[in-house]
C-alpha cells in the first residue's frame, strides 16, 4: 500500500512539474540528489555501525540480559499478561535498550522477535493482544537518551553543536512514552470494565 502512495506522489509531482514548465528541475533533482543521498549515507554510516557494534558487544557480553533483569520489575508491571520467564520480556528489554541509544535499525530485530514471542502466547491469532499493543506503544514512544542517528545527521549537515538536542530529545521522548503508556493503561482498564 505504501508503495502505491509513494508511486502516486511521485507521479503527481512529475506531472505537475511538466504542466508548470519545471521539468528541468525534476531532472536536476534526480541527478544531484542521488549523489547527495549517497554522501549523507556514507557520512552517517560509521556512527551507526559503531553504536550497533557496541550494542552487539553488549548483547554478547550479557549486558542486555542484565539490563533485562534490571528492568524486569517495570516490564512485569507493564506486561502483566506475559509470564516472567517468557523470552519476549528479554527481547522487549533489548529493544528498549537499542531505542535508548537511538539505534532504531538495531532495535527492529529485537522488536520483531518480541512480537513473535508475544504472538505465541496470543489467544486470538488474528488480533493483536494487549501485550502486543503495549509493546507497540512503548516501542513507538521509546525514551531516547542518545539519538545516534539524529546526531550523525546533524553532524553530517555541518551543525555547530549537534549534541544540543540531547536534553530536549530526552524530555520529549520521556513525555511521549509516559503519555502513550498512560493512555494505553487507561484504555485497557476501561475495556476490562466492560
Amino acid at each position: 500500500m505504501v508503495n502505491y502512495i509513494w508511486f502516486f506522489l511521485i507521479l503527481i509531482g512529475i506531472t505537475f512539474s511538466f504542466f508548470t514548465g519545471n521539468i528541468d528541475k525534476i531532472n536536476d533533482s534526480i541527478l544531484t540528489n542521488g549523489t547527495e543521498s549517497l554522501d549523507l549515507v556514507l557520512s552517517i554510516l560509521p556512527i551507526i555501525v559503531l553504536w550497533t557494534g557496541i550494542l552487539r558487544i553488549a548483547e554478547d557480553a550479557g549486558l542486555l540480559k542484565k539490563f533485562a533483569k534490571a528492568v524486569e520489575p517495570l516490564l512485569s508491571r507493564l506486561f502483566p499478561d506475559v509470564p516472567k520467564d517468557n523470552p519476549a520480556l528479554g527481547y522487549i528489554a533489548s529493544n528498549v535498550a537499542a531505542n535508548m541509544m537511538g539505534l532504531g535499525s538495531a532495535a527492529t530485530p529485537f522488536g520483531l522477535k518480541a512480537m513473535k514471542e508475544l504472538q505465541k502466547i496470543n489467544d486470538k491469532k488474528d488480533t493483536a493482544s494487549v501485550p502486543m499493543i503495549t509493546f507497540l506503544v512503548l516501542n513507538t514512544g521509546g525514551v531516547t537518551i542518545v539519538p545516534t542517528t539524529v546526531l550523525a545527521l546533524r553532524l553530517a549537515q555541518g551543525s555547530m553543536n549537534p549534541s544540543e538536542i540531547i536534553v530536549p530529545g530526552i524530555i520529549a521522548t520521556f513525555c511521549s512514552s509516559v503519555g502513550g503508556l498512560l493512555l494505553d493503561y487507561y484504555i485497557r482498564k476501561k475495556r476490562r470494565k466492560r
Side-chain angles (χ1 to χ4, degrees):
M1 181 66 176
V2 174
N3 292 337
Y4 294 121
I5 293 171
W6 279 112
F7 174 76
F8 285 117
L9 287 174
I10 291 169
L11 186 65
I12 289 168
I14 291 172
T15 305
F16 182 77
S17 68
F18 182 75
F19 285 116
T20 58
N22 294 321
I23 197 73
D24 57 324
K25 290 183 181 178
I26 295 289
N27 290 334
D28 292 343
S29 188
I30 290 171
L31 295 174
T32 58
N33 286 344
T35 304
E36 290 175 12
S37 299
L38 183 61
D39 290 342
L40 180 63
V41 167
L42 291 176
S43 64
I44 66 171
L45 188 64
I47 296 170
I48 293 173
V49 168
L50 171 74
W51 282 103
T52 304
I54 289 172
L55 191 65
R56 184 59 171 226
I57 292 168
E59 180 185 11
D60 292 345
L63 292 176
L64 290 181
K65 287 184 180 180
K66 288 181 181 177
F67 178 75
K69 287 286 184 199
V71 296
E72 188 176 313
L74 176 63
L75 291 179
S76 295
R77 293 181 69 87
L78 287 174
F79 301 95
D81 299 338
V82 178
K84 287 189 179 188
D85 60 340
N86 193 296
L89 293 178
Y91 291 131
I92 290 170
S94 298
N95 177 275
V96 169
N99 278 328
M100 284 180 151
M101 298 305 292
L103 298 168
S105 57
T108 300
F110 294 123
L112 292 173
K113 289 177 184 177
M115 281 295 193
K116 189 180 279 187
E117 292 297 326
L118 291 173
Q119 180 66 4
K120 288 179 183 177
I121 60 172
N122 186 3
D123 293 334
K124 297 178 183 176
K125 300 296 183 191
D126 62 339
T127 306
S129 65
V130 171
M132 291 171 129
I133 295 168
T134 302
F135 173 60
L136 188 61
V137 169
L138 181 65
N139 184 43
T140 304
V143 175
T144 304
I145 296 172
V146 182
T148 309
T149 306
V150 176
L151 289 174
L153 285 169
R154 288 175 55 88
L155 189 64
Q157 294 301 313
S159 174
M160 298 298 247
N161 187 5
S163 62
E164 70 186 352
I165 59 150
I166 290 177
V167 173
I170 292 171
I171 293 168
T173 56
F174 178 79
C175 290
S176 68
S177 293
V178 170
L181 290 171
L182 287 174
L183 185 61
D184 175 62
Y185 177 76
Y186 172 75
I187 292 170
R188 187 182 336 153
K189 197 170 184 175
K190 191 173 179 180
R191 284 192 177 177
R192 284 188 178 156
K193 286 182 179 179
R194 288 184 191 176

